[in-house]
Amino acid sequence: DVQILLPENYMHSYYTQRISQQSTLYTYTWELNDRCRQTLHIASLKKKAYTLSYWPYFDSQSHAHGVHSPILDDHYSVLEKQILNLVEKMHTDYPHVQIILSSDHGQIHSQEDEIFKIHTDSQIYSYASSISGESRFIYLYTDADKETISKSIQSHIESSDFSLFSKKEPIDIWLFGPSFENKHLEKIGNFICVFWWTQQVFQDWQPRNIWNHGGFHDREVKIPIVLF
């Protein structure tokens, strides 16, 4: 039995329904203390179960302000105190509980001269940002072959530090996770370009966050695991 603690507005998402077929769902508001109270409640049940709890605001705050911002320092300070209080309570009242703290990804900083716009041309007739809005990978719509498209991208961003996948390849290797919806296939173009280093590609209407993720850099894909 997997017990999942998640925000109430995520309860009915496609991903939640896929992973929760054998699970018990608990909800919380975005308020941090409420999440701690719910976690303690689940622990008090003393069942042999995994409880998954998502802690928000890391991502949106980092995108908006950068991970070195004083705003993030304040946020981390509050969060650290709350987590330490939770750990102390767990160890005192529920010694059977093991807490694992981790992340689903890291984030990376891109300099202004590493932010590009790929222009449509005779090879690329359209491109789009990812479904998630990340600018570290893009969808390309084209009738050309992979080698031709690779050269076209290099001419725009002056770099070869990217991987180019055909439409089905990233789904087969779970690049988008284990439950990618088939209805999104029509949205991802003929090729997907994913950056290895720090380049980002934006469309004109997108906000130019210089902190982002979704590529293959170590700072995005190597994450910590802390046991309490």
Side-chain angles (χ1 to χ4, degrees):
D1 182 28
V2 178
Q3 300 184 62
I4 302 175
L5 184 61
L6 75 170
E8 55 191 357
N9 56 326
Y10 288 3
M11 279 289 287
H12 304 293
S13 72
Y14 174 84
Y15 184 72
T16 298
Q17 300 306 311
R18 284 292 298 268
I19 67 173
S20 65
Q21 295 176 9
Q22 305 296 324
S23 308
T24 303
L25 298 180
Y26 297 84
T27 64
Y28 57 80
T29 66
W30 288 109
E31 203 272 317
L32 193 57
N33 284 323
D34 181 43
R35 200 165 321 121
C36 291
R37 284 193 295 269
Q38 279 284 47
T39 302
L40 288 170
H41 167 69
I42 294 173
S44 71
L45 301 176
K46 296 187 177 181
K47 293 182 177 181
K48 291 183 178 179
Y50 297 97
T51 299
L52 173 65
S53 177
Y54 174 69
W55 304 69
Y57 299 130
F58 295 120
D59 193 62
S60 59
Q61 295 285 345
S62 296
H63 279 304
H65 305 292
V67 297
H68 300 312
S69 166
I71 295 175
L72 266 293
D73 289 341
D74 292 341
H75 173 64
Y76 293 146
S77 178
V78 171
L79 188 57
E80 181 181 43
K81 291 176 182 177
Q82 294 282 4
I83 291 176
L84 289 176
N85 288 338
L86 176 63
V87 170
E88 183 178 341
K89 181 71 173 176
M90 286 289 196
H91 285 174
T92 301
D93 296 346
Y94 311 109
H96 64 289
V97 173
Q98 173 77 69
I99 298 176
I100 303 173
L101 179 65
S102 188
S103 173
D104 58 341
H105 58 74
Q107 287 196 324
I108 194 168
H109 177 268
S110 294
Q111 303 294 334
E112 287 292 341
D113 60 359
E114 296 175 307
I115 299 176
F116 300 91
K117 175 174 169 55
I118 292 183
H119 301 282
T120 56
D121 56 24
S122 59
Q123 306 300 336
I124 302 173
Y125 54 81
S126 180
Y127 79 94
S129 59
S130 66
I131 294 170
S132 62
E134 298 297 342
S135 57
R136 296 279 288 129
F137 63 99
I138 54 171
Y139 307 137
L140 302 165
Y141 300 82
T142 177
D143 295 321
D145 58 37
K146 182 180 289 190
E147 183 178 358
T148 302
I149 291 303
S150 181
K151 291 179 180 178
S152 179
I153 296 172
Q154 289 180 45
S155 70
H156 291 303
I157 68 172
E158 300 176 357
S159 172
S160 59
D161 297 324
F162 59 84
S163 290
L164 196 61
F165 297 98
S166 63
K167 186 170 192 170
K168 286 283 289 182
E169 286 177 308
I171 297 171
D172 293 339
I173 64 173
W174 284 18
L175 187 65
F176 301 114
S179 60
F180 188 81
E181 295 182 74
N182 286 333
K183 69 180 183 180
H184 289 319
L185 277 173
E186 64 186 40
K187 300 179 183 179
I188 65 176
N190 308 90
F191 291 98
I192 300 173
C193 175
V194 185
F195 294 105
W196 282 96
W197 300 114
T198 55
Q199 296 91 350
Q200 296 181 26
V201 176
F202 282 82
Q203 293 179 307
D204 291 337
W205 53 266
Q206 287 181 281
R208 296 200 171 198
N209 296 324
I210 58 175
W211 289 92
N212 223 312
H213 55 85
F216 289 149
H217 196 282
D218 282 355
R219 293 199 297 271
E220 297 168 281
V221 300
K222 293 185 177 180
I223 59 175
I225 295 179
V226 182
L227 302 180
F228 295 96

